[in-house]
């Protein structure tokens, strides 16, 4: 893992640690040295801290939450002036002070990290080289994946969830393993039966396409299955399969049916985003898959989930064969995605 990836990892883990100790978002503090509000900052400094008024000798601090109104406090914690209003005292009535909020380097780095994450579909087994697949290299990569995924799930667990239901469960599959081999078999069978049912090509072509997809998935170093609990029965009125076609067929979709289930589903989706960003901070790429493979009896049997567990996604984890491309925006930010009311 290079220096940039290490910094990104530490950055993400730092924000997770801060989130656990705060009930509100962190604020950025600008520190001022001197006895009055007219002093300029001798050295601009930003730090993440709790929502408390600053204390300590010879210090004035300017606080801002997400670029909102800022206030300067004196040594006793009393507000000296605010950018949202003029000075309250008559002596300072004619004196106006303007404060400009500039994102800290930490905030800028985090925002760039989030914006740079991309979905990847083509994976390689080792971070060093596509051809470097000796046992030692694969074992090192495997252990790194194991620990990075654990750190990612730790970040995922900080996602907001109403009434602390903590609905998400993560199933880790490292390749090669018995679980990953079984998953590849399921990929082949589900793909083959779907293609044969569509009858878009001959039987031999269907077998070739199913085998190609299985081999593509064989290059993925790790998988994570994410489920949300407390949902409706995901296999309603479904008897034991009479043949393998039922076993590998796509189950009917059973949607959340009440507010709590919707909230738990939304929370699980938020936890997945935390996970993807944590993996990205460590130089790993990922893909959130939701195809028919995850909605089969065979897949549910593989992970051993409950009837009330909905599979929200199958996450591919590893290294990219090529640099991910930056997609072109289909919607403009100002006035379309972001609208002022």
């Amino acid at each position: 893992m290079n220096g940039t990836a290490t910094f990104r990892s530490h950055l993400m883990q730092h924000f997770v640690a801060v989130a656990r100790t705060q009930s509100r978002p962190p604020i950025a503090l600008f520190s001022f040295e001197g006895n009055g509000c007219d002093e300029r900052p001798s050295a601009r400094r930003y730090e993440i801290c709790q929502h408390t008024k600053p204390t300590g000798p010879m210090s004035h601090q300017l606080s801002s939450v997400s670029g909102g109104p800022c206030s300067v406090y004196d040594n006793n914690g009393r507000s000296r002036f605010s950018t949202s209003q003029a000075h309250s005292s008559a002596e300072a009535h004619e004196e106006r002070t303007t404060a400009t909020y500039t994102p800290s380097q930490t905030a800028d780095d985090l925002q760039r990290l989030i914006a740079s994450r991309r979905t990847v579909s083509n994976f390689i087994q080792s971070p060093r080289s596509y051809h470097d697949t000796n046992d030692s290299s694969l074992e090192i990569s495997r252990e790194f994946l194991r620990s990075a995924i654990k750190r990612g799930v730790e970040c995922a667990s900080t996602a907001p969830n109403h009434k602390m239901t903590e609905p998400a469960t993560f199933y880790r599959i490292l390749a090669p393993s018995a679980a990953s081999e079984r998953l590849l078999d399921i990929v082949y069978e589900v793909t083959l039966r779907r293609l044969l049912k569509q009858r878009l090509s001959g039987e031999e072509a269907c077998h070739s396409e199913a085998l190609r997809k299985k081999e593509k998935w064989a290059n993925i170093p790790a998988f994570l299955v994410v489920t949300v609990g407390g949902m409706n029965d995901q296999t309603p009125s479904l008897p034991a399969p009479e043949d393998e076609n039922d076993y590998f067929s796509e189950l009917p979709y059973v949607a959340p049916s009440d507010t709590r289930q919707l909230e738990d589903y939304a929370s699980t989706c938020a936890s997945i985003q935390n996970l993807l960003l944590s993996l990205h901070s460590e130089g790993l790429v990922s893909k959130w898959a939701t195809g028919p493979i995850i909605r089969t009896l065979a897949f549910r049997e593989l992970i051993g989930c409950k009837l009330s567990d909905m599979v929200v996604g199958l996450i591919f984890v590893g290294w990219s064969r090529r640099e991910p491309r930056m997609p072109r925006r289909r919607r403009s930010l100002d006035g379309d995605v972001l609208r002022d009311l």
Side-chain angles (χ1 to χ4, degrees):
M1 185 167 58
N2 57 33
T4 301
T6 301
F7 171 77
R8 288 176 171 178
S9 175
H10 290 166
L11 176 66
M12 178 62 66
Q13 292 158 17
H14 169 71
F15 271 86
V16 171
V18 170
R20 288 178 179 158
T21 62
Q22 298 190 148
S23 59
R24 296 188 293 172
I27 62 175
L29 292 187
F30 300 77
S31 290
F32 289 74
E33 305 299 331
N35 294 316
C37 297
D38 295 332
E39 274 74 8
R40 298 294 182 264
S42 57
R44 188 167 62 181
R45 177 170 60 88
Y46 306 93
E47 50 185 42
I48 303 303
C49 69
Q50 297 285 354
H51 286 262
T52 57
K53 292 184 178 180
T55 59
M58 305 295 290
S59 68
H60 293 280
Q61 297 180 311
L62 173 65
S63 67
S64 173
V65 183
S66 302
C70 304
S71 299
V72 168
Y73 300 96
D74 62 15
N75 295 340
N76 296 319
R78 294 190 297 269
S79 177
R80 293 293 297 271
F81 74 87
S82 173
T83 58
S84 61
Q85 59 184 11
H87 288 279
S88 57
S89 62
E91 294 79 9
H93 180 70
E94 297 180 356
E95 193 175 331
R96 306 290 180 177
T97 305
T98 302
T100 302
Y101 174 76
T102 302
S104 67
Q105 187 63 47
T106 301
D108 186 64
D109 290 337
L110 178 62
Q111 291 156 4
R112 289 177 182 272
L113 173 71
I114 294 173
S116 64
R117 198 207 71 81
R118 294 290 176 267
T119 295
V120 169
S121 297
N122 294 293
F123 289 79
I124 57 176
Q125 295 178 341
S126 170
R128 295 175 176 83
S129 169
Y130 177 62
H131 302 289
D132 183 11
T133 56
N134 59 72
D135 292 341
S136 176
S137 173
L138 292 178
E139 186 59 29
I140 293 174
S141 300
R142 182 186 180 91
E143 288 307 310
F144 170 67
L145 283 169
R146 181 188 297 277
S147 58
I149 288 173
K150 183 177 181 179
R151 290 186 290 272
V153 172
E154 186 176 8
C155 291
S157 66
T158 67
N161 52 94
H162 194 207
K163 297 187 180 298
M164 293 298 292
T165 54
E166 299 182 2
T169 302
F170 299 82
Y171 300 84
R172 179 175 54 192
I173 301 175
L174 299 180
S177 64
S180 69
E181 291 300 321
R182 178 56 181 157
L183 176 59
L184 295 179
D185 290 338
I186 294 173
V187 170
Y188 176 82
E189 296 294 343
V190 172
T191 304
L192 176 61
R193 283 162 173 75
R194 180 172 56 84
L195 292 174
L196 291 174
K197 185 177 182 180
Q198 292 174 348
R199 297 180 179 180
L200 299 178
S201 56
E203 184 173 342
E204 183 177 351
C206 291
H207 279 277
S208 298
E209 176 60 22
L211 182 60
R212 185 198 65 80
K213 186 167 185 176
K214 178 180 178 180
E215 292 174 346
K216 182 179 180 180
W217 281 45
N219 288 323
I220 302 172
F223 303 88
L224 264 175
V225 184
V226 188
T227 65
V228 53
M231 311 300 280
N232 299 316
D233 186 353
Q234 299 297 297
T235 59
S237 304
L238 188 66
E242 298 178 358
D243 56 41
E244 287 190 344
N245 286 325
D246 291 335
Y247 195 61
F248 294 103
S249 296
E250 186 175 357
L251 294 167
Y253 173 68
V254 182
S257 60
D258 57 39
T259 301
R260 184 192 62 79
Q261 290 182 354
L262 284 171
E263 289 174 342
D264 287 349
Y265 180 82
S267 173
T268 302
C269 291
S271 71
I272 291 177
Q273 176 69 349
N274 280 5
L275 168 70
L276 300 182
L277 291 173
S278 176
L279 295 172
H280 178 51
S281 74
E282 301 209 40
L284 293 167
V285 296
S286 58
K287 178 178 180 178
W288 180 353
T290 58
I293 292 169
I294 68 174
R295 294 190 293 273
T296 63
L297 285 176
F299 186 85
R300 295 180 65 85
E301 182 183 83
L302 169 65
I303 64 175
C305 62
K306 300 177 182 178
L307 296 178
S308 59
D309 289 341
M310 173 188 287
V311 181
V312 181
L314 173 63
I315 313 300
F316 303 165
V317 183
W319 296 274
S320 179
R321 183 188 299 269
R322 61 183 67 92
E323 187 71 19
R325 292 185 299 176
M326 181 77 69
R328 184 176 61 182
R329 275 189 176 274
R330 291 176 292 179
R331 299 174 62 192
S332 60
L333 179 61
D334 293 328
D336 191 1
V337 176
L338 175 62
R339 306 180 185 185
D340 289 318
L341 301 179

